[in-house]
Amino acid sequence: MIKKTIFSLILLTFTFSGFSQSVTTYAGTPQSAGSTDVIVNRLLAKFTDPYGLAFDSKGNLYISEKGNNTITIILKSNDNTIIRAGGKGLAGFYNASGITSRFNGPAGIAVGPNDEVYVADEENHVIRKITAFTNVGSAQTISVFSGKHLIKPVQYTSYPGYADGTKDYAQFQNPTDVAVDASGNVYVADKGNNVIRKIATDGSVTTIAGQPGVAGNKDGSALVEAQFNAPTGIFVKGNDIYVADQLNSSIRKISGGQVTTVVSGLWTPTDVYLDDVGNYYICDQHRVRKGINTYAGSTDINTSGFENALGTAARFFYVKSITFNDKSLFVTDMNNQCVRKITDCGYFSASISKNGYLLTATAGVSYIWYKNGNIIFGSTAQTYTVTSTGDYSVKVTDENGCVSTSSVVHVDYVGINENEQFNVLIYPSPANEIINIKTNLPVSDEVILSIYDILGNKVFIQSFQSGIIDLKIDVSELNNGVYSLDIFNKTFRKQKQIVISR
């Protein structure tokens, strides 16, 4: 009896050749809130309302979780994931080492020149600093980098408001994001005060743009005219600062003491990233924008969800923060409780190298081989050994979900005879409960008979020492559909189609 397999009756084959962007789940359990208080792989981790994210120089990824009041790390070395700071589900305000410390609604985060981590501790109205990661066994130390507070045992007191000045005097109002320049200066989107602040390396604070306590939408002199309305995300590139001005539905630029609007007509932007050729990537509710176009996610403001797919077929549920690392964008998909990865597939192109009758595809994670435009059932390895003359191609999917189909390679083959040197009789057709297979291969070498479903999964295999086969196979547990039979030995090969219908 053949073990039952489930597959679609019709296989739709799409050919993508690196022209779109692929959205995949990088970390977390989609649509399932939780916490990662024991070490697990990033794809088994659980988050609650992930918000900020930033990579350090070693490739470790930090994630702030507003719902858990924690800072979590994903290690580049082994993809292990663990909480590094804050008490799971315990909102508070306290400096200490590792998980003994307390945060209250940690939002945007950034990594400094020495791999120190800065956190906009939104509900505590201060900016926190976490020492650089060394190893899992050494706890990181958390301190207040800037913001007025009163030190008490176990629980500090914070002082929301607005004031420039020294690190222990300055006041913030619901800061939501931070960015760091090459010199270690920290820039803050001070959302509640509608201003942009700069924190020097000694923790002292100055306002660099916006009118404190005034919500508006005006370009011009940064300190005299410019107005923001809930500045939520911030990004630094060189000497310029870019702000996701959420309630003005725009991206603003601060440069040379002037504020200008560089992207408008957005929904509710929360973060921005600028690449080296001037492209803006924007977290904008349920989508990621590239300039004025939807790059990934829904084009409808009211459409959210979860879907790993290409470009606008993908679905998000409130993307909050964005960063870039190793050819890909990363975003926190807050209401889906995960981190998503967006890869431009333009870099990926499948090809075939030929060595005699051995064909080798570009490296990937999955392969489907074709002959004369038809799937070669069961051929899902990186290599394929040609057994007959034809035009061969391969579809490769890489680790980022990018799909590309190679150009056709023609191979003339002299060897195994696939002509009518022997017959394969299959009946009844279509089959119902039992299928009969008879052959008259006139040799005594070992013969292999395999059956594959339409997705290339092997559902039956048997070897014979004689070329004369008379076989009855129970197919009662197979679903209706089309299958492929492959029968061969050292000299002959034959492929036939099997149809099951009830």
Side-chain angles (χ1 to χ4, degrees):
M1 181 181 294
I2 298 177
K3 186 176 180 181
K4 184 176 183 179
T5 59
I6 300 174
F7 61 95
S8 301
L9 178 60
I10 300 175
L11 178 64
L12 300 178
T13 301
F14 298 94
T15 300
F16 300 105
S17 294
F19 64 88
S20 191
Q21 42 280 351
S22 171
V23 178
T24 56
T25 300
Y26 181 74
T29 306
Q31 301 178 307
S32 179
S35 63
T36 309
D37 43 357
V38 296
I39 296 177
V40 296
N41 180 272
R42 58 180 166 86
L43 292 172
L44 299 176
K46 287 199 172 185
F47 307 118
T48 298
D49 300 335
Y51 191 102
L53 76 172
F55 285 91
D56 69 13
S57 66
K58 301 179 182 67
N60 302 312
L61 177 61
Y62 288 92
I63 303 163
S64 63
E65 299 183 60
K66 294 198 76 171
N68 276 331
N69 297 297
T70 55
I71 309 299
T72 300
I73 193 171
I74 300 174
L75 301 179
K76 172 67 173 179
S77 60
N78 55 16
D79 284 336
N80 281 345
T81 307
I82 189 67
I83 294 172
R84 293 299 294 174
K88 178 186 66 175
L90 301 174
F93 185 13
Y94 184 60
N95 287 336
S97 295
I99 59 175
T100 307
S101 64
R102 295 291 179 265
F103 293 83
N104 193 358
I109 59 178
V111 174
N114 299 308
D115 278 344
E116 72 279 17
V117 180
Y118 298 93
V119 182
D121 195 359
E122 184 175 359
E123 300 303 321
N124 282 327
H125 311 285
V126 296
I127 307 304
R128 308 288 286 280
K129 179 180 178 180
I130 305 173
T131 56
F133 174 82
T134 55
N135 58 70
V136 173
S138 298
Q140 294 165 262
T141 301
I142 292 83
S143 60
V144 175
F145 181 63
S146 188
K148 186 176 181 181
H149 63 286
L150 177 63
I151 297 176
K152 293 181 177 181
V154 183
Q155 184 80 7
Y156 297 177
T157 298
S158 62
Y159 292 89
Y162 172 80
D164 285 341
T166 61
K167 64 171 294 186
D168 294 323
Y169 176 82
Q171 292 174 272
F172 302 89
Q173 183 77 41
N174 299 113
T176 52
D177 199 15
V178 287
V180 187
D181 66 18
S183 300
N185 300 302
V186 178
Y187 299 84
V188 182
D190 194 359
K191 182 178 179 180
N193 283 318
N194 292 304
V195 292
I196 306 304
R197 318 287 287 278
K198 177 182 178 180
I199 309 176
T201 54
D202 63 359
S204 59
V205 178
T206 55
T207 298
I208 62 172
Q211 311 305 309
V214 177
N217 185 6
K218 189 175 183 181
D219 288 342
S221 172
L223 289 173
V224 177
E225 301 173 285
Q227 295 176 348
F228 298 87
N229 194 354
T232 303
I234 191 165
F235 178 77
V236 175
K237 196 170 188 67
N239 296 319
D240 299 329
I241 302 164
Y242 300 87
V243 179
D245 196 3
Q246 186 175 22
L247 297 186
N248 281 326
S249 302
S250 61
I251 302 300
R252 316 286 291 281
K253 178 182 179 180
I254 306 170
S255 181
Q258 296 290 313
V259 174
T260 56
T261 299
V262 292
V263 182
S264 58
L266 303 171
W267 297 338
T268 54
T270 53
D271 203 9
V272 58
Y273 172 83
L274 181 68
D275 69 16
D276 290 337
V277 294
N279 295 309
Y280 295 94
Y281 297 89
I282 304 160
C283 290
D284 193 20
Q285 197 161 317
H286 308 313
R287 64 180 175 178
V288 174
R289 288 278 292 262
K290 182 179 181 180
I292 63 173
N293 300 312
T294 299
Y295 187 65
S298 175
T299 57
D300 178 3
I301 192 172
N302 297 311
T303 301
S304 62
F306 177 84
E307 186 72 32
N308 285 328
L310 293 173
T312 56
R315 290 292 176 264
F316 300 93
F317 198 174
Y318 284 115
V319 285
K320 289 297 184 181
S321 295
I322 188 168
T323 192
F324 180 86
N325 188 62
D326 192 23
K327 299 180 182 177
S328 297
L329 294 165
F330 295 80
V331 297
T332 46
D333 191 1
M334 190 171 76
N335 283 23
N336 278 324
Q337 314 298 343
C338 59
V339 176
R340 311 287 287 280
K341 182 178 182 180
I342 307 171
T343 303
D344 189 332
C345 295
Y347 76 93
F348 181 60
S349 178
S351 62
I352 297 173
S353 61
K354 178 175 174 289
N355 183 10
Y357 296 134
L358 178 66
L359 304 181
T360 302
T362 301
V365 296
S366 67
Y367 312 86
I368 300 176
W369 287 90
Y370 296 83
K371 175 189 173 185
N372 299 330
N374 300 312
I375 291 177
I376 305 173
F377 291 100
S379 298
T380 56
Q382 186 179 359
T383 61
Y384 178 75
T385 301
V386 171
T387 58
S388 61
T389 297
D391 293 326
Y392 293 86
S393 60
V394 63
K395 181 192 292 183
V396 183
T397 302
D398 78 351
E399 61 181 0
N400 297 313
C402 295
V403 181
S404 178
T405 299
S406 71
S407 299
V408 169
V409 173
H410 180 78
V411 181
D412 288 315
Y413 184 82
V414 178
I416 292 178
N417 192 334
E418 204 175 15
N419 296 325
E420 295 302 321
Q421 295 294 325
F422 71 96
N423 295 318
V424 177
L425 180 63
I426 301 172
Y427 65 93
S429 182
N432 188 336
E433 302 292 328
I434 300 293
I435 193 164
N436 298 276
I437 300 174
K438 293 185 177 182
T439 73
N440 64 340
L441 186 59
V443 294
S444 59
D445 293 334
E446 182 183 38
V447 177
I448 305 296
L449 186 151
S450 302
I451 298 176
Y452 300 90
D453 67 23
I454 204 164
L455 296 179
N457 300 309
K458 187 179 295 184
V459 298
F460 178 85
I461 184 170
Q462 189 168 334
S463 63
F464 305 87
Q465 292 303 317
S466 170
I468 307 302
I469 298 172
D470 188 351
L471 186 66
K472 293 181 182 294
I473 302 176
D474 183 354
V475 294
S476 60
E477 291 194 7
L478 285 179
N479 292 331
N480 290 346
V482 180
Y483 295 77
S484 176
L485 178 141
D486 185 31
I487 182 169
F488 68 95
N489 70 354
K490 295 179 180 179
T491 310
F492 298 92
R493 186 176 212 124
K494 182 72 72 175
Q495 292 181 323
K496 302 281 283 186
Q497 190 178 83
I498 297 173
V499 177
I500 298 175
S501 179
R502 300 178 184 88

